[in-house]
Amino acid sequence: MRTQRLIRILIALTLMIALLPIAGCKKSANPNYRANHVDQWSRIKKSGQLNIGVDDSFVPMDFRQKNGKLVGYDVDLSRAVCKVLGLKANFQSIDWSMKETELKNGTIDVIWNGYTATPERQKKEAFSRVYERSGQSLVVKKNLGINSFKDMQGKKLGLQEGSTAFTDFNKYPRLLKRYISGSPIIYQDNNSAFMDLKAGRTQGVLAGTIYAGYYAKNLAKTNQYKLIGSNVFPQDRVAVGMRKGDRTLVKKINYALGVLQKDGTLRRINEKWLGIDSNYLGSTKEFRN
């Protein structure tokens, strides 16, 4: 009897040990587990490229010229970082509202598109050091007599879906939400929002100050727009978004950004695209990744 019992125990243990690799494979195959626990630097390095998720209509960070060429602040910065790391920057245009899903599923390796490191996003993603700071601004036509958020009383507002402006608009309802007429009109991209502003279908667009300022001064090709309230909402901290598991990639990108700060590349990119004399770079210890 004892011998048979011992045999049964040994068989059970053998089956358990045999199933462990299978359980481990299932675990590592789960997108959530992989995103949070698997360091994919070896794969990225072996492939020789970094897959970068962008909204290719987000001027001046990532946008396409008339000939289809992708240009912008983040295009230049990410290419410079990849050069330091010996990688090719492989840009992938994505649906901005699906950016976190694309990152988690491994379609892209980073979100690099004027991406704000909000407290909510920090719970799910890792971030590089901050390389740009910007608040939200309301863009309006000068001839409408709108000089404050309160002047949007009864007027229509445009917002890009999934943007920080969209988040802040709802997070701080007493700043602007309480004044506008009904619900804001939601757009897939800022270009569409500004087209409606130009056509008079809305009277204001809330957007990141970097984009809003670039639009008002360059894209509109007119002097009829102005910015309001750039310091009313909290300042954005713009950084590169990565998976929690990619600790090595975080360190590599932080290192490369530091190189670009020291050699003046970061300053030159700021001057080229934003017209500001800035060599700012946040601490590597700012985020608890």
Side-chain angles (χ1 to χ4, degrees):
M1 292 291 291
R2 288 183 179 180
T3 302
Q4 291 178 349
R5 185 179 180 187
L6 181 60
I7 291 172
R8 286 197 296 269
I9 292 172
L10 288 172
I11 292 173
L13 286 172
T14 302
L15 287 171
M16 288 176 64
I17 293 170
L19 289 172
L20 280 175
I22 298 174
C25 289
K26 286 183 178 180
K27 203 172 186 181
S28 62
N30 182 285
N32 287 317
Y33 179 86
R34 188 170 60 246
N36 291 321
H37 300 285
V38 178
D39 192 317
Q40 301 193 44
W41 172 250
S42 295
R43 175 191 60 78
I44 293 170
K45 187 67 175 177
K46 185 177 181 180
S47 71
Q49 69 179 26
L50 186 68
N51 297 319
I52 303 170
V54 302
D55 168 5
D56 62 7
S57 65
F58 188 32
V59 179
M61 309 309 275
D62 301 86
F63 65 101
R64 296 194 182 278
Q65 296 177 321
K66 290 182 179 180
N67 61 5
K69 182 181 178 182
L70 186 68
V71 297
Y73 182 106
D74 277 333
V75 174
D76 285 358
L77 184 61
S78 57
R79 279 180 174 154
V81 164
C82 284
K83 185 176 181 180
V84 173
L85 300 180
L87 299 172
K88 176 187 176 182
N90 179 40
F91 299 100
Q92 296 189 27
S93 299
I94 60 174
D95 180 341
W96 193 243
S97 65
M98 295 294 290
K99 54 190 176 296
E100 289 85 3
T101 301
E102 299 276 15
L103 181 66
K104 180 183 68 176
N105 291 342
T107 309
I108 57 175
D109 298 313
V110 296
I111 302 173
W112 203 329
N113 200 115
Y115 195 46
T116 305
T118 64
E120 292 80 8
R121 288 170 176 169
Q122 289 174 49
K123 294 175 183 177
K124 300 179 180 179
E125 298 161 36
F127 283 91
S128 72
R129 54 204 303 193
V130 173
Y131 61 85
E132 190 58 60
R133 295 171 293 186
S134 171
Q136 309 301 324
S137 288
L138 179 68
V139 184
V140 299
K141 287 184 177 180
K142 292 179 179 178
N143 62 2
L144 293 181
I146 300 173
N147 299 303
S148 67
F149 283 6
K150 187 176 181 180
D151 291 336
M152 283 293 291
Q153 184 77 49
K155 296 180 172 59
K156 299 298 294 184
L157 177 77
L159 282 169
Q160 181 189 15
E161 182 181 11
S163 66
T164 307
F166 180 89
T167 300
D168 283 354
F169 171 80
N170 289 298
K171 188 175 182 179
Y172 305 98
R174 293 191 61 80
L175 297 181
L176 179 59
K177 190 174 185 177
R178 60 173 171 160
Y179 296 121
I180 69 167
S181 173
S183 299
I185 299 175
I186 307 302
Y187 301 89
Q188 288 295 315
D189 55 74
N190 275 318
N191 284 346
S192 300
F194 280 109
M195 285 178 64
D196 269 8
L197 177 65
K198 182 179 180 180
R201 286 185 281 271
T202 61
Q203 288 72 54
V205 172
L206 187 68
T209 301
I210 291 174
Y211 177 81
Y214 189 87
Y215 175 85
K217 294 179 181 179
N218 298 282
L219 294 184
K221 296 180 180 180
T222 177
N223 194 34
Q224 64 177 320
Y225 297 96
K226 66 179 179 180
L227 272 61
I228 298 173
S230 60
N231 294 319
V232 176
F233 287 100
Q235 287 236 318
D236 295 343
R237 295 179 295 169
V238 179
V240 185
M242 290 165 271
R243 291 176 287 265
K244 285 282 189 182
D246 283 328
R247 294 178 177 85
T248 303
L249 182 59
V250 172
K251 292 178 181 178
K252 296 288 185 180
I253 288 180
N254 281 343
Y255 163 76
L257 287 171
V259 171
L260 300 180
Q261 183 190 45
K262 290 179 181 178
D263 69 13
T265 300
L266 182 60
R267 186 183 298 277
R268 289 192 292 273
I269 292 174
N270 274 307
E271 290 175 347
K272 175 182 177 180
W273 292 106
L274 307 182
I276 59 175
D277 182 15
S278 171
N279 205 28
Y280 170 79
L281 196 58
S283 170
T284 59
K285 299 179 181 179
E286 185 169 356
F287 302 116
R288 297 180 64 183
N289 294 321

